[in-house]
Amino acid sequence: MAAYKDSLLARIFKARYFAKADPFSATLGSRPSYAWRSIHSAQRLMRQGARVVIGNSHHNNVWQEQWVECKPARGVQKTNLSLGQNEGLVSSDMKVAELLIEGTREWNRLLLERLFPQDEVEQIEKIRPGGTLSDDVYGWEYTKTGLYNVKSDYWVQKNVLEGNIAQVQVSQLSIDSLYQAIWQTKTSSKIQHFLWKCLSNSLPTAENMTHRHIAKDASCPRCDSGPELENHLLFQCPYARFIWTLSPI
């Protein structure tokens, strides 16, 4: 569906399940069909290996889309500009095409160096855009051809995802020390209480409100691209990511 956006299947599923998002960030929704439930169950796996292959780059967001080459692919995560230095150079809906010299396939190196740290510039310059006559398409990172196949999918599942889960289970530490650190932090009691609620999953996020039968929609009210969990609210939401990117922290 990500590669063939104009197909009948993609148009039907988009209208029904992810009208304001994409297959990689769409929620399960209410009363999903068996087909969509099956597709959605593979969402995490597909996010691990899918990457936008840049063509004319007019529709891909610099911060949100998975276009920077690494495994898994990601958007740009850092910038040199603080909120006070923004000067209209960047925005939350900035497109990849704005980083190119107009009418060419060449990156605007002066702009890249002004906006991003050197490590991000080097990652971006490894990418060769297809040009104004080619569309952005999705490729699969774990095959030489860039085409998805079941064999590589199975390899990713067994060696990447399950391997990471096993490593986390072995190395995960108790969070008791984090609770202690919260109350020892020299700040206001209001901030301490907020941090405690974050760590305890007690914030009134849409997901929590839905779980308690107070609300019916668990999706993020700002971006509508996924359930509003605490991690999404504070770090993964495009608006939150944009603020962190511009933050001097």
Side-chain angles (χ1 to χ4, degrees):
M1 282 185 288
Y4 300 99
K5 298 179 181 180
D6 296 325
S7 67
L8 179 61
L9 176 66
R11 286 187 282 127
I12 291 175
F13 274 78
K14 181 172 180 62
R16 175 67 176 85
Y17 298 110
F18 49 93
K20 298 181 180 180
D22 60 71
F24 299 111
S25 57
T27 61
L28 188 59
S30 60
R31 301 179 64 184
S33 67
Y34 176 78
W36 173 245
R37 189 183 295 274
S38 301
I39 293 171
H40 190 272
S41 66
Q43 190 181 73
R44 178 169 173 258
L45 176 61
M46 298 306 295
R47 279 201 302 262
Q48 173 67 42
R51 178 176 65 84
V52 176
V53 179
I54 297 298
N56 56 41
S57 65
H58 289 297
H59 303 292
N60 284 296
N61 188 289
V62 169
W63 321 101
Q64 300 172 29
E65 303 288 353
Q66 297 183 199
W67 66 283
V68 178
E69 295 184 13
C70 54
K71 295 179 181 179
R74 58 173 175 79
V76 173
Q77 297 179 334
K78 295 178 285 185
T79 178
N80 289 329
L81 301 179
S82 66
L83 287 171
Q85 297 174 315
N86 186 352
E87 300 177 353
L89 285 176
V90 297
S91 64
S92 61
D93 62 349
M94 186 178 188
K95 299 297 187 284
V96 176
E98 298 176 46
L99 304 178
L100 295 169
I101 298 174
E102 188 174 357
T104 73
R105 299 168 59 192
E106 302 298 325
W107 297 107
N108 187 334
R109 185 173 179 83
L110 293 178
L111 179 62
L112 293 181
E113 291 181 340
R114 183 176 183 184
L115 295 181
F116 309 122
Q118 186 59 36
D119 58 334
E120 291 282 9
V121 173
E122 291 175 357
Q123 286 292 104
I124 293 172
E125 289 190 323
K126 291 178 182 178
I127 302 168
R128 183 63 174 167
T132 56
L133 299 180
S134 60
D135 294 326
D136 300 328
V137 297
Y138 275 93
W140 182 251
E141 291 281 72
Y142 292 93
T143 58
K144 292 181 179 180
T145 62
L147 300 176
Y148 168 87
N149 60 48
V150 175
K151 181 180 179 180
S152 66
D153 188 312
Y154 181 78
W155 185 91
V156 173
Q157 177 68 41
K158 301 302 292 184
N159 294 278
V160 179
L161 296 184
E162 292 183 8
N164 289 343
I165 292 172
Q167 184 176 359
V168 169
Q169 290 175 338
V170 170
S171 61
Q172 192 172 41
L173 301 176
S174 170
I175 61 173
D176 290 346
S177 60
L178 293 180
Y179 281 110
Q180 295 174 10
I182 287 174
W183 303 116
Q184 293 172 0
T185 300
K186 295 181 179 180
T187 185
S188 68
S189 57
K190 181 182 294 186
I191 293 178
Q192 289 178 333
H193 188 235
F194 174 76
L195 293 174
W196 176 85
K197 292 176 73 175
C198 290
L199 201 61
S200 303
N201 192 27
S202 300
L203 291 178
T205 60
E207 175 73 21
N208 282 342
M209 299 293 277
T210 302
H211 181 70
R212 294 178 174 86
H213 306 290
I214 299 174
K216 294 183 178 180
D217 187 0
S219 61
C220 176
R222 285 161 297 280
C223 67
D224 198 31
S225 63
E228 191 190 42
L229 300 164
E230 288 185 340
N231 202 43
H232 177 88
L233 171 68
L234 297 173
F235 302 108
Q236 294 178 337
C237 179
Y239 293 92
R241 290 176 60 183
F242 182 61
I243 291 172
W244 281 112
T245 299
L246 295 179
S247 172
I249 300 175

